[in-house]
């Protein structure tokens, strides 16, 4: 006996209801397998949230359950044991195409709701103010529903005359009785509708009226649920907007920024950069209406901004735009095309947003080119082994006597930031916000608990890039041999709670911006001036070395804090630290002269280093 091959289907992301924004798990069910699913054409289950991040876990769980149910249904289909159920019969009745000039499946479902509206009537025992939607008169109780079933014109007449042409109003009285009265009030009417279905569908006669009624109720509850917000959205009538223009000719740039920020909820750093661009442009062109900003003005601003150098004293960075240009306009090297694009791009994004909201008649931010800018220029690359050798042979690592930088960020902090990142692939900001309480031990294994919460009630707030970034990260044995635990103990003895107490949050909550600048200067000086080599290159390098050591993608993702790429990898993804520690030490870091670093710092008293900011001579 042959069986039909049924292809699997999948859905990459949750489904968002366009009316309410509620997220759902939603997967189509192949027609040959629907009998195993009560006749349903799809499985749709609310995820209980409108937040895509919070929806990931329940979506993955429901998707796995659905795949198991599909597999079981395919097995039954192959065996010939997949038999119709009351649910399958009812859904076929409510979803199939019209026959012999009668009603379609959807119309038959509405007819059932009409019959129930007539049966339960507009009566209600509770306070009507507490229930939505309000009761309606409904069809006549003595309506010949068998005749309506055969004549689409009579069906359309009831929709027009009783429900004002609004099919979504059908079932209004049923909603009120079903969800707010006892079953004694509505169940007899449901049985009448179920019996009618049994008479018209031969397959249904193998089941009792009560079985058909139960299956019919499940379909009705999907179409007319008790959720008030859903029903209000479903029944909301389109209101004709007054004949007025959406254009806002007097809107100023700061007002547009506020609207954009409220509508987009950007990251704090992005909002700060956009606000700075707005302030600079206003200083350049004046606080003119957005509608008055044309392409010529934007090109002029671009040319002025291009005169600024790539760096300037900290105090001068706070100067107004024109004052900065006047003071440093001739400086070199000039700001990079990427920096210039960031300045102009912020204005372009705001103008595009205004145009998309129909607040401006045209988008004058289009076509403002930045010479030399290309998205491909942002590519970072891994460090080769000989470059790692150069980096970790520089004085910072083999000559602690050179730790005398006047920077607010100490050399000892830069020392450990480099080493931790190189051997874990961690992001700079993740390492920079580690607290001493996050450093744990499991026997002889030391590891970092990277998360976005503080163990202590008065601990500093932390953040991670995404949910997958919360993880346990083993500390390499070479770092322990160099003195990592001794450094941590010295910090605790000095009363510190952070692994790097000299890293302070800036106004957008980031700790490592200044450290990043110092680190990249070290890379430029001792390794290469290749702009693709930055601190983040250590993360790329770690991944590359992990691949060379044949670590699985799942293991590397767990150590680095990358999202697992498929649902299957997410099950059982809680890592066991000993497994991660073992896998970490399969990576070859022999290009780093660990013995030279160990000998260089072996005589250090970390407490003195922390107190003075540099080791004793």
């Amino acid at each position: 006996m042959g069986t039909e091959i049924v292809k699997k289907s999948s859905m990459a992301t949750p489904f968002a209801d366009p009316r309410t924004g509620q997220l759902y798990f939603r997967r189509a069910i192949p027609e040959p397998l629907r009998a195993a699913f009560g006749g349903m054409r799809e499985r749709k289950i609310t995820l209980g949230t409108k937040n895509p991040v919070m929806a990931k876990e329940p979506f993955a769980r429901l998707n796995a359950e659905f795949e198991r149910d599909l597999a079981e249904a395919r097995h039954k289909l192959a065996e010939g044991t997949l038999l119709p159920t009351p649910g399958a019969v009812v859904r076929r009745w409510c979803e199939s195409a019209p026959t012999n000039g009668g009603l379609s499946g959807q119309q038959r479902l509405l007819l059932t709701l009409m019959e129930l509206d007539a049966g339960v009537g507009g009566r209600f025992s509770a306070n009507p103010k507490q229930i939505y939607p309000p009761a309606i008169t409904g069809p006549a109780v003595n309506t010949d529903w068998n005749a309506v079933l055969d004549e689409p014109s009579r069906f359309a007449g009831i929709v027009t005359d009783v429900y004002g042409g609004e099919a979504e109003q059908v079932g209004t009285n049923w909603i009120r009785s079903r969800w707010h009265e006892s079953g004694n009030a509505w169940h007899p009417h449901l049985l009448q509708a179920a019996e009618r279905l049994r008479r018209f569908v031969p397959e249904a006669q193998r089941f009792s009226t009560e079985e058909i009624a139960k299956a019919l109720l499940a379909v009705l509850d999907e179409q007319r649920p008790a959720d008030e917000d859903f029903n209000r959205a479903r029944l909301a009538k389109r209101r004709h907007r007054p004949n007025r223009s959406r254009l806002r000719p007097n809107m100023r740039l700061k007002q547009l920024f506020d609207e954009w920020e409220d509508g987009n909820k950007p990251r704090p750093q992005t909002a700060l950069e956009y606000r700075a661009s707005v302030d600079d442009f206003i200083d350049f062109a004046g606080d003119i209406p957005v509608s008055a900003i044309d392409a010529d003005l934007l090109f002029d601003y671009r040319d002025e901004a291009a005169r600024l150098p790539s760096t300037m004293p900290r105090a001068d960075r706070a100067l107004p735009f024109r004052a900065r240009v006047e003071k440093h306009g001739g400086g070199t090297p000039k700001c990079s095309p990427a920096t210039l694009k960031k300045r102009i791009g912020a204005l372009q994004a705001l103008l595009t947003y205004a145009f998309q909201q129909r607040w401006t008649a045209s988008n004058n931010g289009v076509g403002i080119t930045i010479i030399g800018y290309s998205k491909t220029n942002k590519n970072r690359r891994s460090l080769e082994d000989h470059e790692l050798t150069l980096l970790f042979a520089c004085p910072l690592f083999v000559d602690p006597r050179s730790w005398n930088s006047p920077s607010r960020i100490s050399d000892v902090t830069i020392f450990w930031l480099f080493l931790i990142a190189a051997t874990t692939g961690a992001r700079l900001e993740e390492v920079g916000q580690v607290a001493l309480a996050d450093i744990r031990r499991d026997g002889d294994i030391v590891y970092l608990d990277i998360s976005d919460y503080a163990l202590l009630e008065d601990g500093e707030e932390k953040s991670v890039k995404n949910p997958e970034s919360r993880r346990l990260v083993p500390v390499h044995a070479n770092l322990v041999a160099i003195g990592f635990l001794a450094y941590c103990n010295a910090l605790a003895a000095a009363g510190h709670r952070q692994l790097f107490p000299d890293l302070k949050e800036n106004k957008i909550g980031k700790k490592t911006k200044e450290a990043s600048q110092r680190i990249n200067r070290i890379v430029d000086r001792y390794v290469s001036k290749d702009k693709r080599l930055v601190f983040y290159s250590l993360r790329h390098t770690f991944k590359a070395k992990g691949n060379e050591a044949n670590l699985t993608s799942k293991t590397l993702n767990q150590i680095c804090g990358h999202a697992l790429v498929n649902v299957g990898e997410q099950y059982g993804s809680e890592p066991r630290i000993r497994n991660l520690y073992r896998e970490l030490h399969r990576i070859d870091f022999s290009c780093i002269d660990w013995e030279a670093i160990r000998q260089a710092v072996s005589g250090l008293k970390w407490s003195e280093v922390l107190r003075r900011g540099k080791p004793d001579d």
Side-chain angles (χ1 to χ4, degrees):
M1 177 178 176
T3 58
E4 180 179 347
I5 296 175
V6 181
K7 294 182 178 179
K8 293 185 179 181
S9 61
S10 61
M11 179 175 288
T13 58
F15 166 76
D17 190 300
R19 292 172 293 194
T20 64
Q22 184 73 21
L23 294 175
Y24 290 84
F25 170 82
R26 186 181 183 186
R27 288 281 301 273
I29 300 170
E31 197 279 332
L33 305 180
R34 289 175 188 168
F37 294 84
M40 292 188 295
R41 302 176 71 175
E42 64 178 27
R43 177 174 288 183
K44 182 179 177 183
I45 304 173
T46 179
L47 298 175
T49 181
K50 298 180 182 180
N51 186 324
V53 175
M54 295 180 65
K56 283 185 178 180
E57 188 277 330
F59 180 84
R61 173 172 46 78
L62 291 170
N63 194 56
E65 293 174 359
F66 181 70
E67 289 293 345
R68 288 196 295 270
D69 292 343
L70 280 181
E72 183 178 350
R74 292 189 184 95
H75 182 70
K76 289 182 178 179
L77 181 64
E79 290 183 333
T81 60
L82 190 58
L83 301 176
T85 62
V89 172
V90 169
R91 289 182 184 277
R92 191 173 298 119
W93 160 264
C94 296
E95 296 173 357
S96 59
T99 57
N100 302 322
L103 301 183
S104 67
Q106 186 61 32
Q107 289 172 326
R108 288 194 288 266
L109 177 59
L110 290 177
L111 180 140
T112 301
L113 287 167
M114 290 177 181
E115 183 178 357
L116 293 170
D117 275 350
V120 301
R123 59 185 171 75
F124 196 70
S125 58
N127 182 353
K129 293 182 180 180
Q130 297 176 350
I131 301 165
Y132 187 88
I136 60 174
T137 302
V141 177
N142 61 351
T143 301
D144 184 351
W145 297 109
N146 291 335
V148 177
L149 188 62
D150 293 330
E151 297 182 33
S153 60
R154 295 187 64 172
F155 171 84
I158 295 176
V159 173
T160 300
D161 297 339
V162 178
Y163 296 97
E166 295 285 342
E168 292 287 357
Q169 292 283 348
V170 178
T172 290
N173 288 343
W174 166 252
I175 291 174
R176 296 167 62 83
S177 183
R178 162 74 177 100
W179 299 109
H180 299 283
E181 288 187 312
S182 69
N184 294 332
W186 52 262
H187 192 260
H189 305 289
L190 180 66
L191 289 175
Q192 291 177 15
E195 184 58 36
R196 189 181 316 284
L197 189 153
R198 287 184 75 247
R199 290 199 299 269
F200 276 85
V201 182
E203 276 186 309
Q205 294 174 13
R206 65 188 296 174
F207 304 108
S208 69
T209 302
E210 186 63 45
E211 288 175 315
I212 294 297
K214 183 177 179 181
L216 181 60
L217 182 63
V219 175
L220 295 172
D221 286 351
E222 290 177 8
Q223 297 294 318
R224 297 294 186 262
D227 187 285
E228 183 170 317
D229 290 340
F230 177 86
N231 285 318
R232 287 186 181 277
R234 180 175 59 82
L235 292 167
K237 295 183 178 180
R238 294 182 179 179
R239 296 189 298 271
H240 293 290
R241 187 175 56 83
N243 187 21
R244 60 177 177 81
S245 173
R246 284 182 56 86
L247 297 177
R248 300 169 68 173
N250 296 318
M251 171 182 273
R252 293 318 201 249
L253 195 55
K254 282 192 174 181
Q255 184 182 359
L256 172 58
F257 169 80
D258 291 339
E259 296 274 11
W260 170 86
E261 185 178 31
D262 185 61
N264 288 275
K265 302 295 187 294
R267 294 184 301 119
Q269 183 171 345
T270 301
L272 183 72
E273 292 169 352
Y274 274 46
R275 186 182 295 277
S277 295
V278 167
D279 290 341
D280 282 356
F281 185 82
I282 290 175
D283 186 65
F284 170 76
D287 193 13
I288 61 177
V290 172
S291 58
I293 300 175
D294 58 21
D296 288 339
L297 191 56
L298 289 169
F299 275 106
D300 290 343
Y301 171 71
R302 179 204 67 178
D303 294 343
E304 280 296 287
R307 296 178 57 203
L308 288 171
S310 59
T311 61
M312 65 183 71
R314 184 191 302 273
D316 291 348
R317 296 176 204 165
L319 293 174
F321 176 76
R322 288 187 297 174
R324 297 203 309 274
V325 172
E326 182 178 355
K327 186 172 183 179
H328 296 283
T332 57
K334 299 298 183 184
C335 67
S336 68
T339 300
L340 189 57
K341 174 61 179 176
K342 188 178 293 186
R343 293 175 183 273
I344 304 301
L347 298 175
Q348 290 176 305
L350 293 175
L351 294 175
T352 297
Y353 184 74
F355 178 69
Q356 291 172 340
Q357 300 299 320
R358 186 58 181 163
W359 296 334
T360 56
S362 60
N363 185 358
N364 292 328
V366 175
I368 311 299
T369 58
I370 307 297
I371 298 174
Y373 173 77
S374 170
K375 289 184 178 180
T376 59
N377 290 344
K378 291 185 175 181
N379 287 346
R380 299 160 178 148
R381 70 170 177 86
S382 303
L383 286 96
E384 299 295 335
D385 280 1
H386 72 277
E387 291 170 325
L388 279 175
T389 300
L390 287 173
L391 174 61
F392 289 99
C394 79
L396 176 68
F397 300 101
V398 298
D399 185 10
R401 291 173 300 178
S402 67
W403 292 359
N404 55 10
S405 171
S407 170
R408 185 176 59 83
I409 309 301
S410 68
D411 289 296
V412 68
T413 289
I414 303 299
F415 174 86
W416 287 115
L417 285 174
F418 263 121
L419 289 169
I420 293 173
T423 54
T424 63
R427 301 175 181 92
L428 178 58
E429 187 66 22
E430 291 175 340
V431 180
Q433 62 187 357
V434 168
L436 292 180
D438 299 326
I439 300 167
R440 313 286 190 82
R441 298 194 67 164
D442 182 354
D444 57 343
I445 295 175
V446 181
Y447 64 94
L448 308 179
D449 185 356
I450 293 180
S451 64
D452 56 359
Y453 64 90
L455 290 174
L456 302 176
E457 290 185 3
D458 57 350
E460 295 187 26
E461 291 186 0
K462 300 184 288 180
S463 64
V464 291
K465 184 177 181 180
N466 51 52
E468 292 79 15
S469 299
R470 305 182 187 102
R471 62 198 190 279
L472 306 181
V473 180
V475 175
H476 201 283
N478 283 327
L479 270 64
V480 176
I482 288 170
F484 179 70
L485 289 179
Y487 167 71
C488 295
N489 291 336
L491 286 169
H496 296 298
R497 295 190 173 184
Q498 297 299 118
L499 184 59
F500 303 111
D502 50 352
L503 298 182
K504 305 299 181 183
E505 288 188 356
N506 61 14
K507 52 188 173 183
I508 60 171
K510 298 297 182 182
K511 287 189 170 186
T512 58
K513 183 175 182 179
E514 187 174 346
S516 175
Q517 294 168 344
R518 277 205 63 197
I519 285 168
N520 289 333
R521 286 196 292 268
I522 291 172
V523 173
D524 289 344
R525 181 176 180 182
Y526 293 104
V527 180
S528 171
K529 294 189 181 297
D530 186 339
K531 297 300 181 183
R532 296 173 298 170
L533 287 182
V534 292
F535 182 85
Y536 202 86
S537 296
L538 291 172
R539 185 168 171 83
H540 290 281
T541 304
F542 182 86
K543 290 280 287 202
K545 282 188 163 292
N547 288 325
E548 291 172 359
N550 294 320
L551 269 66
T552 65
S553 296
K554 182 176 180 179
T555 298
L556 278 174
N557 288 336
Q558 288 173 331
I559 296 176
C560 292
H562 281 145
L564 300 178
V565 297
N566 59 54
V567 173
E569 284 190 353
Q570 294 174 19
Y571 289 97
S573 62
E574 286 296 324
R576 296 178 64 84
I577 190 62
R578 290 192 170 275
N579 293 340
L580 295 182
Y581 183 82
R582 182 188 64 246
E583 294 299 295
L584 172 66
H585 285 78
R586 289 175 53 197
I587 299 176
D588 180 12
F589 291 113
S590 61
C591 59
I592 299 174
D593 190 344
W594 296 104
E595 181 59 24
I597 299 174
R598 189 191 65 79
Q599 289 184 7
V601 300
S602 61
L604 291 182
K605 295 181 180 179
W606 292 105
S607 57
E608 290 297 315
V609 173
L610 293 172
R611 184 169 61 85
R612 299 185 181 184
K614 60 182 180 178
D616 292 329
D617 294 333

